[in-house]
Amino acid sequence: MSSIAVPSAGLAPRRAWLTDLPVLLVAVFWGASYLAAKDITTAQTVTGVLVLRFALVLPVLAVAGRRGLRALTAAQWRGAGLLGLVLSGIFLLETYGVVHTSATNAGLIISLTMIFTPLAEAAVTRVRPPRAFLGAAALSMAGVVLLTQGGGFTAPSAGDLLMLLAALARTAHVLLMARVEAVQNADSLPLTTVQLGGAVAVFAVLAAVPGTGPAPWTVAAGFGVREWTGLLFLSVFCTLFAFFVQMWAVRRTSPSRVSLLLGTEPLWAAAVGIALGGERLGVLGLLGAVLVLSGTALGRRASGA
C-alpha cells in the first residue's frame, strides 16, 4: 500500500472529516479482506481466486489509465513489471497464509510491515534507527510470538509463517518502489495497472501448471452467491475503491494523515475476525495482539511515519 506524496494545507474540520471517512473505510475493507479471502479460498483454489479477483478490476484500471499507459517508457514498463512480480509473491503468500491461519492473526502479523520497512531502510542506508524504534520493534515481535500461541507455547502455524514472509515481501516491494529509478516519475494509475497485470499473468501461469488446483473458470463455475459476493468485495472495495480513494485523498489531505488512518487496518482485521468470524485469541493471543498494535503504533511515531 502506497500513496502519492502530495503536500497539502490545513483543512477545515468538516472537510477533513469528509476526506477522512473514505480513507477509514478503506482501512475497514482491508481489515475485513482477510476474513473474506479465507471464506472463499481453499489451499487448492488460491491461484484461481487470485486470477479472478484482479482480472475483474484490470479492465477498469486500464481504461481509466489508458493515456498514462501509452505515456510509459520501456524502462518504466520493465520497472513496473519487476514490481508486479514482487506483488504477485505478496498476494500468494498472503492468500496461502490466511487459508492456514486465522483472519485475526493474518491482519495483525502483516502489520509488521510498518516495523520491517524502517529496519530494512536503515540496513540499506546504514543509518542506525532510534533506540525508541528498536524497542518498538522488539515489542511487536514479542507480540507476534504470543499472538501465534493458543492455549500454550507451540510452534507457529504454517499460515503464521507465511504471513510473516508476506510482511517481509511487502517491505521489499516498498524499498523497490523507492529505488527503481524508472518508476519514480510514473503516474500511480498506469504503474498500478502494469503491476496488477504482471501479477495476474503470474497467477494465470501458476494456475495452468498441473497440480496447482482447478482453473480459474472452474473455480468461478463452482462459486455460489456467497463466494461471488466475497470475490466482488475483494475486487471492487478492497482493490478498485481503495486505490481511487488513496489517489483522491492524498490530494486533499497530508500523506501522513492518510497513512495514519490506513494504519488502523490490523485493528479492523482483529475486530472482523472476532465479531464475524467467531475467532478467539485466548489470553496469550490477546496480550500478543495488544503488544503488536502498541509496537507498530510506537514504531510509526518513532520513525516519524
Side-chain angles (χ1 to χ4, degrees), residues 37 41 46 50 90-100 163:
T41 313
V46 168
L50 286 172
I90 293 171
F91 282 114
L92 285 167
L93 288 168
E94 286 185 359
T95 310
Y96 276 112
V98 78
V99 166
H100 293 98
M163 293 309 300

Side-chain angles (χ1 to χ4, degrees), residues 103-304:
T104 302
N105 276 24
L108 290 167
I109 292 173
I110 202 68
S111 70
L112 288 177
T113 303
M114 291 182 282
I115 293 294
F116 291 159
T117 302
L119 287 175
E121 184 74 26
V124 170
T125 60
R126 298 182 180 180
V127 176
R128 183 180 177 86
R131 288 185 179 180
F133 180 83
L134 294 176
L139 193 66
S140 294
M141 293 307 299
V144 167
V145 171
L146 293 177
L147 179 67
T148 56
Q149 308 310 307
F153 287 96
T154 59
S157 71
D160 294 331
L161 295 176
L162 287 171
M163 293 309 300
L164 196 60
L165 289 174
L168 291 170
R170 277 198 187 189
T171 297
H173 187 260
V174 172
L175 293 181
L176 279 173
M177 285 279 289
R179 282 168 174 75
V180 176
E181 292 185 6
V183 303
Q184 294 305 303
N185 298 318
D187 185 76
S188 61
L189 179 53
L191 182 62
T192 299
T193 303
V194 174
Q195 286 188 73
L196 285 182
V200 170
V202 171
F203 303 147
V205 169
L206 291 177
V209 175
T212 57
W217 49 87
T218 305
V219 174
F223 275 0
V225 173
R226 177 174 177 172
E227 288 81 9
W228 275 110
T229 301
L231 182 68
L232 289 173
F233 171 74
L234 291 170
S235 297
V236 176
F237 292 99
C238 300
T239 306
L240 201 60
F241 173 81
F243 174 73
F244 283 110
V245 163
Q246 286 182 89
M247 285 188 65
W248 169 80
V250 293
R251 287 170 169 79
R252 289 162 176 79
T253 185
S254 68
S256 59
R257 190 177 181 92
V258 171
S259 178
L260 181 64
L261 290 167
L262 294 179
T264 63
E265 175 190 347
L267 286 171
W268 300 112
V272 170
I274 293 170
L276 300 182
E279 298 175 353
R280 296 292 180 267
L281 287 176
V283 176
L284 286 178
L286 183 59
L287 177 59
V290 171
L291 291 180
V292 169
L293 294 172
S294 300
T296 52
L298 291 172
R300 289 168 67 88
R301 183 178 299 179
S303 64

